[in-house]
Amino acid sequence: GKIQTAQRASTFNTENANRLVREGMGITPDARITGEGLAEIRSEAGKAYAAIKELDAPIIPTDEYLLKISSIGGDFKAAAKEFPDLLKNEKIDTLIASLSEPTEISGRGAIEVVKKLRADATANLKAYDRPERQALGFAQRKAAEAVDGLIEQHLEKSGNKSISDQYRKARETIAKSHDVEAALN
């Protein structure tokens, strides 16, 4: 009947999804997928950040980076020009000003600001009933992407392409692990 078919499909889909997650995250086929295991994967991937934190040469904001930062806020910022009393978001303005200000950024500073921006974006994007917080969350996510791009560009220009590749892979692994953890039940 329909119920048995649905149960079989659910079991098959769960097993298949778990297999794909294990493969994608580098988890052995017989291991359970747990929050602790995913935290360990994030910790291992996060080691790629250490090389960037220890960079000797400062990261110099480029025109491309500054353009990306100035465009943060998108539709919400444009609408705020028409309805400033209703839609002005000073936190987005502060974000743009703060990220446009430095003329040099240390590797440590770049990594820490990206981590903060991503964490804050995640929290703000969950405020479904608060459009100003969601707009800030989208702005924070775009800002983190801009800083990530600046880091990668700096690494590649300074002959550290392998560190750039490791950093990109670590970010992807960490993001995937958070997605998997959010889906655990």
Side-chain angles (χ1 to χ4, degrees):
K2 288 182 183 181
I3 293 174
Q4 287 178 331
T5 302
Q7 288 172 336
R8 281 190 202 128
S10 177
T11 300
F12 173 78
N13 288 339
T14 299
E15 290 170 6
N16 196 36
N18 286 339
R19 180 184 57 77
L20 291 171
V21 165
R22 284 186 188 95
E23 287 174 10
M25 298 302 303
I27 300 171
T28 58
D30 58 337
R32 288 192 54 199
I33 302 168
T34 64
E36 295 82 19
L38 294 169
E40 193 173 307
I41 288 170
R42 283 192 292 273
S43 176
E44 185 63 31
K47 290 178 181 177
Y49 289 44
I52 296 164
K53 287 182 175 183
E54 300 304 319
L55 289 174
D56 289 333
I59 300 168
I60 308 298
T62 63
D63 290 340
E64 179 185 349
Y65 163 80
L66 293 170
L67 184 61
K68 286 179 184 176
I69 295 300
S70 69
S71 71
I72 288 173
D75 291 341
F76 199 88
K77 195 168 137 185
K81 289 179 182 175
E82 294 177 48
F83 303 99
D85 293 337
L86 292 174
L87 298 177
K88 180 144 179 70
N89 193 324
E90 290 182 19
K91 290 184 179 186
I92 292 176
D93 296 338
T94 300
L95 175 68
I96 292 168
S98 295
L99 292 171
S100 299
E101 189 174 297
T103 56
E104 292 184 349
I105 305 169
S106 68
R108 182 171 307 281
I111 291 296
E112 293 305 318
V113 78
V114 166
K115 287 174 21 181
K116 177 172 179 25
L117 288 167
R118 290 205 183 281
D120 291 351
T122 298
N124 284 320
L125 288 170
K126 290 179 182 177
Y128 303 111
D129 60 338
R130 305 284 307 272
E132 70 280 357
R133 283 198 48 205
Q134 283 202 312
L136 178 58
F138 285 117
Q140 290 163 326
R141 188 169 23 178
K142 278 188 79 173
E145 290 168 4
V147 176
D148 279 334
L150 182 64
I151 292 169
E152 288 178 17
Q153 187 178 32
H154 172 77
L155 290 169
E156 290 175 14
K157 276 185 178 178
S158 61
N160 292 310
K161 180 153 177 33
S162 65
I163 295 174
S164 177
D165 292 342
Q166 291 169 5
Y167 176 59
R168 185 179 301 113
K169 185 177 181 198
R171 285 191 352 253
E172 290 171 2
T173 298
I174 290 168
K176 286 177 187 177
S177 74
H178 281 295
D179 289 344
V180 169
E181 190 167 25
L184 287 179
N185 59 20

